[in-house]
Amino acid sequence: YVNKILHEGGLNSFRKMKSPAISNDQKERQRLRIGRLYRYILTLGDGNPSIVMDDESYFELYSFQMPGNDHYYASAKGDGPSHKIFAPKAKFSSKILVWLAISNRGISKPFFRKSMHGAVSSDIYARECLTKRLKPFIDKHHSDQNYLLWPDLASCHYGAVARTCLEELEIQYVTKDMNPPNCPQLRPIENFWGLLKQEVYSK
């Protein structure tokens, strides 16, 4: 009856959209840093540089953790072999870390690393991601130098080793004082990961 009344009133049910929980301090830093970043972008090249975004994401290696693989089929609950009914999970499960960079001109060569736990270090980020993959990508697709690298605020991206590497490679990047915190909605690469994982886990 309730559904009938809602339907007659032209109301439909929609799934709530997820959004990051943002503290008041983060909101204030967002306001200041987005303004700084916007004004800085206007000073680069023709005032409309290509934005290069790099990021890491993790892909689980256990099939039952993938969408669609967390069920088993039986005539009654509990019927069937135990290896089908139970899904043991280690405290630190194995997963693959994938790094890559994207821009409106292409996608970089990815970096893959099996990871038991913990994030990528600043040293690995500088050597494997910046030097071996990001720099060749920029040289190939952004040789006009009209670009700006916008990493997220992960600690490995702004560690001393990474910052030194960025300066030695002469890569133009968003400094930490201009990088707004907790703003995935401003970074299209977050949508890229979501779409890619749908493809990876679709079967």
Side-chain angles (χ1 to χ4, degrees):
Y1 178 73
V2 171
N3 286 336
K4 180 176 180 293
I5 297 300
L6 291 173
H7 181 70
E8 290 176 350
L11 299 175
N12 297 300
S13 175
F14 300 96
R15 186 181 297 274
K16 292 182 178 180
M17 297 175 65
K18 294 180 180 179
S19 64
I22 304 172
S23 67
N24 289 332
D25 176 62
Q26 287 179 327
K27 287 180 181 178
E28 180 60 20
R29 281 187 288 153
Q30 284 179 355
R31 186 183 68 80
L32 292 173
R33 294 184 181 186
I34 288 174
R36 290 175 191 161
L37 180 57
Y38 175 68
R39 289 188 294 272
Y40 178 66
I41 287 174
L42 293 178
T43 68
L44 296 175
D46 59 2
N48 186 30
S50 293
I51 301 298
V52 178
M53 293 186 177
D54 76 329
D55 197 16
E56 307 87 27
S57 193
Y58 293 91
F59 291 76
E60 298 285 352
L61 293 180
Y62 292 105
S63 64
F64 63 81
Q65 292 173 331
M66 300 176 187
N69 289 344
D70 54 355
H71 292 73
Y72 67 95
Y73 296 92
S75 56
K77 186 174 182 180
D79 285 353
S82 60
H83 71 276
K84 293 292 185 180
I85 298 171
F86 297 100
K89 182 179 180 182
K91 186 174 182 180
F92 299 107
S93 60
S94 294
K95 48 194 171 185
I96 293 290
L97 177 145
V98 182
W99 171 96
L100 52 75
I102 67 172
S103 77
N104 61 329
R105 301 184 185 180
I107 302 175
S108 73
K109 180 181 177 183
F111 168 60
F112 299 95
R113 182 171 184 259
K114 187 174 180 180
S115 174
M116 293 299 291
H117 53 81
V120 64
S121 68
S122 187
D123 181 61
I124 291 175
Y125 175 65
R127 182 179 67 252
E128 298 295 336
C129 304
L130 297 180
T131 304
K132 293 184 180 180
R133 291 165 176 83
L134 182 63
K135 179 60 174 173
F137 171 75
I138 289 174
D139 289 345
K140 179 179 179 180
H141 295 285
H142 299 278
S143 57
D144 59 0
Q145 298 301 303
N146 189 29
Y147 76 92
L148 181 65
L149 170 66
W150 184 358
D152 66 17
L153 282 169
S155 57
C156 67
H157 297 165
Y158 287 100
V161 174
R163 292 198 314 273
T164 299
C165 182
L166 286 165
E167 290 163 8
E168 289 178 349
L169 295 175
E170 298 182 337
I171 294 175
Q172 303 172 113
Y173 69 99
V174 176
T175 55
K176 196 170 184 178
D177 65 318
M178 289 192 294
N179 203 337
N182 205 3
C183 282
Q185 68 274 24
L186 295 182
R187 294 172 48 80
I189 196 168
E190 303 295 344
N191 295 332
F192 174 88
W193 287 127
L195 294 170
L196 180 60
K197 288 184 178 183
Q198 286 180 24
E199 291 295 318
V200 170
Y201 296 148
S202 63
K203 298 183 181 180

